[in-house]
Amino acid sequence: MGLTPEHLAAEAEFQQFVDQHVVPFADEFHRTQRTPPEVVRTLSERGYLGLSIPKQFGGGGRDAITLGLLAGALGRGCSSLRSLLTVHTMVAHAIWRWGTQAQKEAWLPKLASGTRLGALALSEPNAGSDAKSVATRISEDGESFVLDGHKTWTTYGEIATLFLLIGRTQEGPTALLVERETAGLRTELITDLIGVRASMTASVRLDGCRVPKENLLGRRALGVSHVASAALDLGRYTVAWGCVGILDACLQASVAYTNQRKQFDVLLKEHQLVRCMVSDMLTDFRAAKLLCLEAGRLRDAKDPGALEAASIAKYFASTAAMRAASNAVQIYGANGCSGDYPLQRYLGDAKVMEIIEGSTQIQQVTLAEYAYQEYAGARVRGGTARWR
Ligand SMILES: Cc1cc2nc3c(=O)[nH]c(=O)nc-3n(C[C@H](O)[C@H](O)[C@H](O)COP(=O)(O)OP(=O)(O)OC[C@H]3O[C@@H](n4cnc5c(N)ncnc54)[C@H](O)[C@@H]3O)c2cc1C
């Protein structure tokens, strides 16, 4: 797939880490609906949470492809941990992209070392896909902003210590950095999710929270269009890679099971209808990984096409992961429905991937726009070559 020796070495390291430290425990995380603190500590000690933060701010300074390979490996083992990487990296990226020099110096080293854990508090009970409709009120009092409102679905919100929060000033949606210990902020754990059940997702209540004005990230009114958008673009990219990991897990589990279980006196793999599901998984896995690699290369090259490529990768990989997880459960039959195997976990996780970071329908709406712009002069017959 055209990976450099450095990328291949990083991928081997990440996959080995996941085999040793994640795969054996992921079902337990899922059952108990929590990520043990020592796992978060291990991820930060290995430099994984700060992997893509520039070296000058204490991070690993690694490129987008390497970040994707880590997200893919974590996604194979545990989608909740991949979510942790995603939200933490999104917050760091937003600060790096839109923060002042002082904000970068204040926050990025802490995020790189894992001293602070980042989370994105954008969604509200009445603001989901239409993120610009956030209603959390940001008023002003002297040198402080005062926050009142209710955020929800904040991944790892229960343990995060730095929130990238989007509220509304008079001018429009505005991004602030809010520390966990701010008086008037409290979180409520959301349990019994269909997927990413260990992701310690929470609601965030804000009652007269005072935040220093220096915590404004970017300019007022640009909180969604610029700050959250930059974060979500990166989030979409890592979620797409996480789906490659789910596809990988489903494919491997399906091959292993059909190699050992017999029905009608032959191994399941001898039934052509079963083989068909496995062949679709293999094709989807390879295609999704190639789309993610393309998105990563464009991102590393700072190509404007990276946005569209991430959207395509996320749309394809998440719908493919859902297909694969559904078929993997089918292949396992009743065992696939039980807690004795991880298949039902993959299915719930894959469903969540179709909803977060822009749902499947939002990607379709966006991608259709790209198509009509790019092919504005298209002809009914023949057309012109558009290979890039
Ligand atoms: C496990 C989990 C973790 C999450 N983590 C975070 C987080 O860390 N931070 C955060 O801020 N949010 C988070 N979210 C929220 C997530 O971003 C939203 O769920 C997502 O944006 C969709 O919003 P919604 O659920 O309100 O659905 P809605 O926006 O109400 O959409 C409902 C349905 O309508 C469809 N729809 C909506 N608009 C259109 C349209 N224009 N055209 C066609 N169809 C449309 C959607 O695709 C969907 O199928 C998380 C959600 C989950 C489930």
Side-chain angles (χ1 to χ4, degrees), residues 231-258:
L232 287 167
D233 172 39
L234 182 61
R236 214 164 281 137
Y237 172 70
T238 56
V239 166
W241 271 105
C243 293
V244 172
I246 296 175
L247 281 156
D248 193 2
C250 290
L251 176 59
Q252 295 197 40
S254 298
V255 168
Y257 192 74
T258 55

Side-chain angles (χ1 to χ4, degrees), residues 87 119-130 152-156 193 195-196 199 201 232 352 354-362 365:
V87 292
L120 174 70
L122 171 61
S123 300
E124 297 178 0
N126 293 316
S129 303
D130 182 12
T152 191
W153 309 120
T154 308
T155 298
Y156 282 97
L193 289 169
V196 292
S199 66
T201 295
L232 287 167
V352 170
E354 284 203 289
I355 291 169
I356 56 172
E357 261 75 357
S359 67
T360 294
Q361 289 71 32
I362 295 298
V365 169

Side-chain angles (χ1 to χ4, degrees), residues 147-169:
L147 296 176
D148 289 281
H150 179 191
K151 293 291 176 182
T152 191
W153 309 120
T154 308
T155 298
Y156 282 97
E158 188 62 9
I159 57 169
T161 47
L162 183 66
F163 296 91
L164 168 57
L165 186 144
I166 318 294
R168 178 172 295 280
T169 54

